[in-house]
Amino acid sequence: MDANHLKNDGVNGARRSFLKASVTAGGGFLLAVSFPSMSQDRGLVESPPQPHVFLTIKPDNTVLVKIKHLDMGQGTVTGLASIVAEELDADWDLLRYEYASADITKFKNGLLGVQGTGVSTSIANSWSELRQAGAAARQMLIQAAAEHWMVSPEEISTETNHLLHKASSRTVSYGLMAKRAAELPIPQRIVFKNSSAYRWIGQPSIRKLDNLDKTTGKEIFGLDLKLPGMVYATLARPPKFGAKLQSFDASRALALPGILQVLPTKFGVAVVATHTWSAMKGRDALVIAWDLSEAEQRSTDQMLKDLKVLLAQPAPVAKQSGNAIDGLGEYFSVRSAEYSFPFLAHAPMEPLNATVELTGTGANLYTGCQFQTVDQMAVAQELGLPPAQIKVITLMAGGSFGRRANPASDYIREAAVIAKAYAKAPVQLVWSRSDDLHGGYYRSMFVHQVRTATNKEGEVVAWDHKIAGHSIAEGTGFAKFLVKNGIDHTSQEGSFENKYGLANFKCTVSAAPKKVPVLWWRSVGHTHGVYVTETMADELAHSEKSDPLAWRLGRLKHNARLSRVIQEAGERSNWTRKLPLNYGRGIAAHSCYGSHIAHVVEVQRVKAGKLKISRVVCVIDCGIAVNPDIIKAQVEGGVAFALSAALFQKITFKDGMVEQDNFHQYPILSMKDMPVVEVHILDSQLPPTGVGEPVVPTVAPALANAIFSVTGQRIRSLPFADVGLELAA
């Protein structure tokens, strides 16, 4: 296929079934587009999806783009709109957006198989669709103007929502030509702009579409929503996972001001009140007896021991090539290392919330909805209604990191059940921070064991990798895509790839029984898998007396893009520069979510056990950079997110009870401790790939490698605070 054209092949021959134009009620131009063959499919869905994206040009000359992906602060709205604006030659000041309704037939995510946002697919999933929508609309507008002026379409150009005929100095707005354009046939050959003519894509100074509303407070997040007569609810959930409600006494709660009703539900005891504070005070006043007979009773130490026992047992093989270490006798030496990773909470800044409004025909769900299809189905099931009768109104979300993309739809179901039981008004369910940290769906605890073998020349020739943890997908609707041969794909990410191309390689994965619910956490399995592979790679480089950067390049000749990223990271960080005394430097690199990334971290040892992170250099190849400034912000945020987890964060248990209640026990890196972050985006003309998730995995191992370079200490248990390392004040 030509880079700038879609030729009249089999798909385009059937274009009318996928690309449709119509006149809106107000006389505007509505373009719906779906291209099944253009979907992004990384092999996890069994059939090609058919997403639709809608573009409306209104008579007032504004352009409305429907956004099918959730913006949680990562700039999705601006990114998707700029793709349309580029091919349409739109005026950025006249661009508007709205979230799409829940409709899997129109808005399916090509990778996830449902309408939803995740796996760093927002821009990548919509790139082709939105380019085609914008380009097709522009060509139809040109054709309409040409017929109106009775000139050749080749004589007409476009600029900022206007059509121009330079020979006669005539001009007309898109809005005035929209009705006529919508009545024309869809072009059989769509012509894209050459990237050299881009005005919006790749521009670092583009104004984010939601900046003004967020700055002025006009933007509506889930917690901002207020409906007529709306009431507020909190839920007293079991104190241990697996516990069940036995009995409760609500008399003290009902005596408090603002309490409207106390309701037993299958999720716990709900308190409905006139505002959130009253609901929370009412919950505190409840007297509840819980049945703990089937509850989780272990402490963290025992959980870790159980995983290590599982690690020693035979397990399904994720990947194998050559011979296992135990089967070869010519190895000169075998190196063994064990790693452990704690449970981690997502802790998005906006606590979890959902509002359910019963209507005469069904119900409305208002929330920062990350998985529209899944959440719509969840509400429908709880209310006993067909999904089509549940309207999903997606609002902005203040962070997620995977928590709002829960196949269980836990807090969504809670809100639906409470709204059904109360039945008198719309109900907004709000979680406190303590609810959030106690509520489960954590990044799983994992243990890894790696054994590597070297020959007599000191060269690494074999790698044996064992993993034990909890499957996320098992027991969910995603299992059929993600669980193969007993292995959850997300558990092996960052480990099974054998990216350094060792001839003798084996990776096994053991899934532990789970009472503590787990979920994908930003970059999922890569968060622990890459830490192991990249710190062990550093260890092997030192054992071979090789420079860690050169060692990687020597084994990555099959991955030119990652090699280029590493080389650039070396140049940008001045890798060969001799560091002053008490300074260290480390590197880590990885390919995931279609992107390639390397981090170089510099640290200073202030005194024993006290470190200062002075500099982080990031180089990323994520295809064409649609919005460079947004990519830069995502990388910077990813560094802070990853450092917080590496340095401080963990969810721990004491006799089955979660020990963390708020940010004083689950810290986030403060501004005073944030290092200088340099972001370098490699030029590319390839389609865009992920950014939000791939920026996380390599930060912690780069930091660990830097710490080793200055202290000689290898860190194999996270967070670093547990091994006596702290940030200097």
Side-chain angles (χ1 to χ4, degrees), residues 90-108:
D91 185 334
W92 193 253
D93 290 334
L94 296 177
L95 213 61
R96 307 287 184 265
Y97 72 91
E98 67 179 22
Y99 283 116
S101 59
D103 187 340
I104 194 172
T105 65
K106 296 178 180 177
F107 302 116
K108 184 189 289 186

Side-chain angles (χ1 to χ4, degrees), residues 211-234:
N211 267 0
L212 181 61
D213 285 351
K214 285 181 176 178
T215 303
T216 60
K218 184 179 177 182
E219 187 67 72
I220 301 296
F221 290 77
L223 281 180
D224 298 322
L225 182 72
K226 288 181 173 53
L227 299 175
M230 187 175 77
V231 297
Y232 300 82
T234 58

Side-chain angles (χ1 to χ4, degrees), residues 167-459:
S168 62
S169 299
R170 284 179 286 185
T171 183
V172 66
S173 72
Y174 285 177
L176 292 178
M177 200 53 60
K179 183 177 183 297
R180 186 178 189 124
E183 294 168 346
L184 295 174
I186 302 300
Q188 291 296 302
R189 183 170 175 266
I190 297 177
V191 181
F192 292 139
K193 268 188 181 181
N194 190 291
S195 60
S196 62
Y198 283 170
R199 298 178 62 245
W200 304 121
I201 291 175
Q203 297 305 310
S205 58
I206 192 170
R207 171 182 56 80
K208 290 181 69 175
L209 287 181
D210 53 2
N211 267 0
L212 181 61
D213 285 351
K214 285 181 176 178
T215 303
T216 60
K218 184 179 177 182
E219 187 67 72
I220 301 296
F221 290 77
L223 281 180
D224 298 322
L225 182 72
K226 288 181 173 53
L227 299 175
M230 187 175 77
V231 297
Y232 300 82
T234 58
L235 193 67
R237 299 172 186 82
K240 298 182 181 183
F241 296 111
K244 298 177 182 176
L245 178 63
Q246 195 171 63
S247 64
F248 70 97
D249 180 354
S251 57
R252 287 169 47 197
L254 290 169
L256 295 174
I259 303 300
L260 299 173
Q261 197 167 348
V262 177
L263 301 164
T265 76
K266 62 182 178 181
F267 300 110
V269 182
V271 178
V272 182
T274 54
H275 49 75
T276 301
W277 181 248
S278 290
M280 289 182 174
K281 296 300 287 184
R283 180 176 63 176
D284 292 342
L286 294 172
V287 178
I288 305 177
W290 300 98
D291 177 1
L292 303 177
S293 59
E294 298 180 12
E296 176 64 77
Q297 303 289 356
R298 295 175 298 166
S299 297
T300 295
D301 288 348
Q302 186 60 51
M303 292 176 176
L304 190 59
K305 288 177 184 177
D306 290 346
L307 284 181
K308 290 181 179 181
V309 169
L310 183 63
L311 195 69
Q313 298 173 2
V317 176
K319 189 171 187 178
Q320 183 169 10
S321 58
N323 296 307
I325 287 176
D326 290 338
L328 294 176
E330 68 270 23
Y331 293 135
F332 182 72
S333 67
V334 173
R335 178 185 303 268
S336 182
E338 193 169 272
Y339 301 79
S340 62
F341 301 87
F343 288 108
L344 291 173
H346 304 76
M349 192 56 63
E350 180 195 10
L352 299 175
N353 64 87
T355 302
V356 175
E357 177 184 30
L358 304 183
T359 67
T361 57
N364 297 329
L365 168 65
Y366 302 83
T367 190
C369 197
Q370 193 168 348
F371 272 10
Q372 286 89 344
T373 302
V374 177
D375 292 345
Q376 181 186 44
M377 183 69 71
V379 174
Q381 289 174 346
E382 298 299 345
L383 299 183
L385 296 170
Q389 290 180 228
I390 309 302
K391 182 179 181 182
V392 177
I393 298 92
T394 298
L395 306 171
M396 281 283 182
S400 172
F401 316 117
R403 184 60 179 88
R404 301 179 199 276
N406 189 350
S409 297
D410 58 327
Y411 64 99
I412 303 294
R413 290 182 182 273
E414 291 174 352
V417 165
I418 297 169
K420 181 180 181 181
Y422 186 69
K424 301 171 187 176
V427 174
Q428 182 175 103
L429 173 69
V430 179
W431 285 41
S432 68
R433 183 59 59 195
S434 179
D435 293 336
D436 178 36
L437 294 180
H438 284 247
Y441 297 99
Y442 309 120
R443 198 283 305 270
S444 173
M445 173 186 283
F446 272 91
V447 294
H448 292 239
Q449 183 189 74
V450 174
R451 293 187 303 155
T452 60
T454 58
N455 58 22
K456 291 182 180 180
E457 288 72 40
E459 181 185 7

Side-chain angles (χ1 to χ4, degrees), residues 478-560:
F478 289 91
K480 64 180 180 179
F481 303 129
L482 293 174
V483 180
K484 303 293 182 185
N485 302 319
I487 296 176
D488 186 332
H489 175 80
T490 65
S491 297
Q492 65 187 8
E493 291 174 325
S495 305
F496 82 106
E497 293 91 346
N498 188 19
K499 69 184 176 191
Y500 292 118
L502 293 169
N504 302 299
F505 179 87
K506 184 178 180 182
C507 178
T508 61
V509 181
S510 298
K514 58 182 179 183
K515 282 191 177 178
V516 177
V518 295
L519 185 62
W520 21 72
W521 184 92
R522 190 174 181 180
S523 71
V524 203
H526 299 283
T527 60
H528 49 95
V530 175
Y531 185 89
V532 173
T533 56
E534 285 302 289
T535 54
M536 179 53 76
D538 195 77
E539 194 167 339
L540 294 174
H542 283 280
S543 76
E544 292 185 11
K545 296 181 172 52
S546 296
D547 174 79
L549 189 151
W551 188 92
R552 286 169 169 80
L553 289 177
R555 286 158 179 78
L556 283 171
K557 292 174 181 163
H558 58 286
N559 191 335

